[in-house]
Amino acid sequence: MDTISDNNRTPAETPVKAPELLIWVNEKNEVIGYGEKLDTHIRGQLHRAFSIFIYDPERRALLLQKRAKGKYHSGGLWSNSGCSHPRKGETWSQSLSRCLQEELGLDFPVVPDLSGSPEHDFTLAGEFQYYSHYGELAEHEWDYVFLCRRAISDEQIILNHDEAEDSMWISPAKLDRWLDERPEDFTSWFAMAYQLIKKLI
């Protein structure tokens, strides 16, 4: 039987990329629907998101990333190791792994502990809700904050420059001083998320 390769498809037959559907929630964090990313941020609709902090116990330091200047908001500001949104139909493991791969080039199994156990190497440190307005768009998020304890070499980190233009390792003590002296260097959600993981490092 003859087969048709993907290269021979007509434009009408080319698979269409599925939309990135974010999870809409109410003030009780109950799912009320789904929406595309841009539309969600135009509406300022409350939706689920997550922030990842990587802490290397050998360095005794946290990995920060500097957001790419081309991002639709907070470009050029420092933030946590990675952040994204869980998508409709994804497990937590899939969402967190995708984020680490897309932003930092890190590829390792992620099995998050949602109970908040301080003994687990990838644990949920807490949740909070925030709202930040950026011109015609807004971030209105129910943010899950995860702490990943893992030794990572600089060679393992391959920044996606569409997402992050720089990264650094920093001790909690130096980060505390920096936040006190120049809070404007950081994204609007960073300080709130950082407070949740401090008790675990």
Side-chain angles (χ1 to χ4, degrees):
M1 186 189 331
D2 292 335
T3 59
I4 301 175
S5 70
D6 286 348
N7 293 334
N8 292 329
R9 286 180 174 171
T10 65
E13 296 172 316
T14 301
V16 177
K17 185 179 179 181
E20 179 182 339
L21 294 181
L22 307 191
I23 302 169
W24 293 2
V25 296
N26 60 20
E27 295 291 332
K28 296 181 180 179
N29 195 23
E30 298 168 335
V31 177
I32 59 171
Y34 306 92
E36 293 187 355
K37 184 176 180 180
L38 181 59
D39 183 52
T40 298
H41 292 94
I42 291 173
R43 292 169 177 261
Q45 171 65 47
L46 180 60
H47 60 282
R48 287 180 180 164
F50 61 85
S51 298
I52 303 172
F53 285 81
I54 296 175
Y55 178 75
D56 187 328
E58 296 181 2
R59 301 174 192 255
R60 297 184 180 179
L62 287 159
L63 178 66
L64 302 187
Q65 67 156 268
K66 189 176 187 181
R67 287 169 63 88
K69 287 187 174 66
K71 299 286 284 184
Y72 72 91
H73 71 76
S74 307
L77 297 181
W78 287 94
S79 198
N80 42 284
S81 311
C83 57
S84 186
H85 308 92
R87 299 175 184 170
K88 180 182 179 182
E90 281 187 327
T91 65
W92 273 117
S93 180
Q94 290 169 334
S95 294
L96 297 165
S97 296
R98 170 176 52 78
C99 175
L100 292 174
Q101 291 175 340
E102 289 181 354
E103 297 189 6
L104 303 172
L106 296 175
D107 186 9
F108 55 83
V110 175
V111 183
D113 172 62
L114 302 181
S115 72
S117 168
E119 305 303 319
H120 201 275
D121 63 359
F122 208 119
T123 193
L124 178 63
E127 308 164 26
F128 70 98
Q129 184 188 146
Y130 78 97
Y131 178 91
S132 293
H133 196 258
Y134 306 97
E136 297 180 355
L137 305 177
E139 286 285 16
H140 191 190
E141 297 187 332
W142 192 291
D143 196 5
Y144 292 77
V145 182
F146 289 89
L147 175 64
C148 172
R149 296 183 196 80
R150 191 178 184 93
I152 293 175
S153 68
D154 293 335
E155 290 73 24
Q156 287 177 274
I157 300 170
I158 305 172
L159 291 182
N160 175 354
H161 290 288
D162 290 334
E163 298 289 337
E165 65 180 58
D166 201 0
S167 63
M168 71 161 65
W169 292 99
I170 187 168
S171 71
K174 288 183 178 179
L175 178 55
D176 288 340
R177 289 196 296 272
W178 187 7
L179 266 172
D180 286 341
E181 294 169 3
R182 294 189 57 85
E184 67 274 14
D185 289 348
F186 298 87
T187 57
S188 61
W189 64 88
F190 179 82
M192 291 179 281
Y194 176 51
Q195 290 303 315
L196 292 176
I197 64 105
K198 279 182 69 173
K199 62 182 181 293
L200 299 178
I201 58 176

